[in-house]
Amino acid sequence: MKYSTTLPVKALPSAEKYDGNGPAYKRRFHVMAKPTGSTCNLDCSYCFYLHKEELLHQDRHSGMSDEVLENFIRQYIDGQDGDQVVFSWQGGEPTLMGLEFFEKVVKFQKQYQKPGQRVENDLQTNGVLLNDKWAAFLKEHKFLVGLSIDGPRELHDRYRVTRSGKPTFDKVMTGVDALKRHDVPFNALVTVNRTNARFPLEVYRFVTRELGTTYVQFNPCVEPVDFKQTAPQFWRDDVIPVTGSRRAHPGDLDSIVTEWSVDPDDWGKFLIAVFEEWVNNDLGRVQVNLFETAVAQTMGLPAQICTHSEFCGKGLAIEKNGDIYSCDHYVYPEYQIGNIENTQLAHLAFSERQKAFGLGKRDTLPKYCKACPYLKMCWGECPKNRIVRAPDGEAGLNYLCPGIKAFFNYAEPILVGIATLVKRDFAGLKR
């Protein structure tokens, strides 16, 4: 990934619509839009984005302008050839932009939507501002909501607090009630941190039983201690610890990660416990992002999420001023690839620099990963988490590796069984 930052932002031939010459292709990419930048009404201890205000010199009192919004929507739709375009709105907290902003979103999307093209929206929110007015709008315009919630009250409120340090659980549940009254579909986005990782069944049962969600996305919290200043892959080589050592765990005075980062071993135990519960009680009823993609990969299909794909680079981020970054987790000056005001979005998404960034996920794997029996299930997970050394001392190993290996070691035979059943059922449907 670091190598990509040295390359010019030169558009590839595939940045232009297919002209009928050579192998056919369709331009497809995804952009995470941050209309408020890092501005948020919460102060979650583990947030990886609040510090962008200082890092990127943002003005917290301004959001994405109408001009940037319209330009983004026009270029995003124009730069893709598929029959579906998905807009993802995140932050910071996107609902701080107000309903009027999202009414403009829908207006511009209808204005630039191509014939036969389906435009969809998802909104990732902390849920604090959601009410009946918001819910009615989201339902009318078919927004899918991703709700950030970390489990029952005591686990959720451990890190997810207001600017004044007050708990947020009750406010979030008030928002949930509004979504349910208006029948708005929503998913649970759970940040697995050092605390709630130790209560896997409590977390899983809460979001699936009490909250009632049928899609759960588990995101491991991994943040180097210097994440506010240092971009991924720009870490000092002389401070990178070996996996399994005391500095490769949270809680040590000299740890490479923040105290709220999930412990690698706890991550594995969390996944195993939830997977067992899912297989025994919710298989076919509840979708869990990490398990669904594991089943697909076991069947020989591509990964459904970027972290477990061989390559990445098709998921960019746009800041409120139109700046484009290689990835949502790489919003650092080193990984800015341009601005839509002076370069077409498709030319940035399909550029030499972004291609190198995406290929770097595979090409920078250490030998330890390449020899791993679970390589094609994991592919080194997210590159931002490759902050430790392999047992042989080679840098570039994923911090979560011990937990990931423990999970696949446990789950592999079960995944094979599930994949066999799915293939059999699919074959029966075809007959």
Side-chain angles (χ1 to χ4, degrees):
M1 270 52 184
K2 185 176 181 180
Y3 164 73
S4 70
T5 64
T6 67
L7 299 178
V9 184
K10 179 182 177 183
L12 299 165
S14 56
E16 304 295 343
K17 188 174 179 65
Y18 178 62
D19 62 5
N21 296 315
Y25 63 83
K26 285 187 177 181
R27 299 171 299 170
R28 288 177 177 155
F29 62 99
H30 182 254
V31 176
M32 185 72 73
K34 297 175 175 291
T36 65
S38 62
T39 303
C40 188
N41 49 355
L42 300 190
D43 191 15
C44 302
S45 304
Y46 57 58
C47 183
F48 73 97
Y49 218 79
L50 277 176
H51 73 283
K52 305 299 183 185
E53 180 181 318
E54 296 179 2
L55 184 70
L56 306 179
H57 308 291
Q58 294 180 342
D59 176 9
R60 72 167 59 180
H61 303 294
S62 65
M64 183 177 284
S65 68
D66 291 353
E67 292 74 23
V68 173
L69 174 64
E70 181 175 7
N71 197 12
F72 164 57
I73 290 175
R74 177 180 59 80
Q75 291 191 34
Y76 191 44
I77 291 176
D78 185 63
Q80 307 202 53
D81 304 317
D83 57 4
Q84 177 192 47
V85 179
V86 178
F87 285 83
S88 296
W89 306 96
Q90 197 195 45
E93 174 50 42
T95 59
L96 288 174
M97 294 297 295
L99 270 176
E100 182 181 357
F101 174 83
F102 285 95
E103 288 168 349
K104 293 174 185 174
V105 165
V106 173
K107 182 190 74 171
F108 288 139
Q109 288 174 343
K110 290 179 179 178
Q111 179 179 341
Y112 294 107
Q113 184 177 6
K114 300 174 185 176
Q117 191 177 58
R118 189 169 70 256
V119 174
E120 298 180 359
N121 290 280
D122 58 69
L123 178 76
Q124 297 189 17
T125 175
N126 58 41
V128 169
L129 295 180
L130 296 181
N131 54 27
D132 285 309
K133 191 173 182 180
W134 266 105
F137 170 85
L138 296 170
K139 178 64 176 179
E140 178 185 358
H141 297 288
K142 300 179 181 179
F143 274 62
L144 172 64
V145 174
L147 183 76
S148 295
I149 190 163
D150 289 350
R153 182 190 304 275
E154 60 275 15
L155 295 177
H156 175 87
D157 286 339
R158 176 66 178 85
Y159 297 114
R160 300 191 65 82
V161 295
T162 65
R163 290 280 188 175
S164 58
K166 294 180 180 179
T168 61
F169 182 80
D170 289 336
K171 292 179 180 292
V172 175
M173 293 306 292
T174 297
V176 168
D177 290 341
L179 294 177
K180 289 183 176 180
R181 281 195 299 273
H182 292 266
D183 196 27
V184 178
F186 68 96
N187 302 333
L189 309 180
V190 180
T191 298
V192 182
N193 51 67
R194 190 181 177 196
T195 300
N196 65 358
R198 299 168 184 170
F199 301 91
L201 296 185
E202 290 85 346
V203 171
Y204 179 75
R205 288 171 181 170
F206 171 79
V207 296
T208 56
R209 308 290 194 273
E210 295 186 44
L211 207 61
T213 54
T214 55
Y215 184 90
V216 185
Q217 181 176 317
F218 289 119
N219 302 309
C221 180
V222 180
E223 292 174 355
V225 290
D226 60 349
F227 75 97
K228 292 184 179 181
Q229 297 84 29
T230 307
Q233 277 72 53
F234 280 82
W235 307 293
R236 284 174 46 197
D237 288 342
D238 60 332
V239 300
I240 300 176
V242 174
T243 183
S245 64
R246 62 175 180 79
R247 293 186 58 238
H249 291 272
D252 187 90
L253 289 176
D254 199 26
S255 176
I256 196 173
V257 295
T258 57
E259 63 91 13
W260 53 78
S261 293
V262 63
D263 186 280
D265 297 330
D266 287 344
W267 176 237
K269 294 173 184 175
F270 180 93
L271 291 178
I272 290 170
V274 173
F275 182 74
E276 187 176 62
E277 175 82 359
W278 177 73
V279 168
N280 290 332
N281 298 294
D282 294 324
L283 184 61
R285 185 184 74 85
V286 174
Q287 292 181 292
V288 178
N289 64 330
L290 295 170
F291 305 157
E292 295 289 332
T293 199
V295 171
Q297 289 172 282
T298 302
M299 295 173 63
L301 300 173
Q304 298 176 351
I305 53 178
C306 61
T307 54
H308 287 250
S309 299
E310 183 176 2
F311 311 106
C312 61
K314 291 294 184 71
L316 299 87
I318 182 170
E319 260 294 337
K320 60 183 179 180
N321 65 349
D323 284 345
I324 302 294
Y325 295 84
S326 287
C327 171
D328 177 33
H329 287 279
Y330 282 74
V331 178
Y332 291 82
E334 293 88 341
Y335 291 97
Q336 183 190 348
I337 54 177
N339 186 290
I340 61 170
E341 294 299 306
N342 46 51
T343 308
Q344 288 294 309
L345 179 56
H347 289 187
L348 298 173
F350 300 99
S351 63
E352 292 284 356
R353 182 181 294 184
Q354 190 64 8
K355 177 182 178 181
F357 176 86
L359 291 175
K361 186 178 191 300
R362 178 199 64 186
D363 296 345
T364 58
L365 286 170
K367 295 189 292 291
Y368 184 76
C369 285
K370 295 175 182 177
C372 178
Y374 307 120
L375 170 64
K376 294 185 178 181
M377 299 293 289
C378 169
W379 290 110
E381 210 255 350
C382 184
K384 79 173 182 67
N385 296 333
R386 297 178 186 177
I387 57 177
V388 298
R389 297 184 184 275
D392 62 3
E394 185 178 3
L397 185 68
N398 197 296
Y399 165 84
L400 296 170
C401 178
I404 294 172
K405 289 187 74 172
F407 167 68
F408 282 122
N409 186 54
Y410 167 82
E412 183 180 37
I414 304 172
L415 289 169
V416 171
I418 295 173
T420 301
L421 290 174
V422 172
K423 288 180 179 178
R424 186 193 65 187
D425 291 347
F426 182 71
L429 289 172
K430 292 180 66 176
R431 284 200 294 268

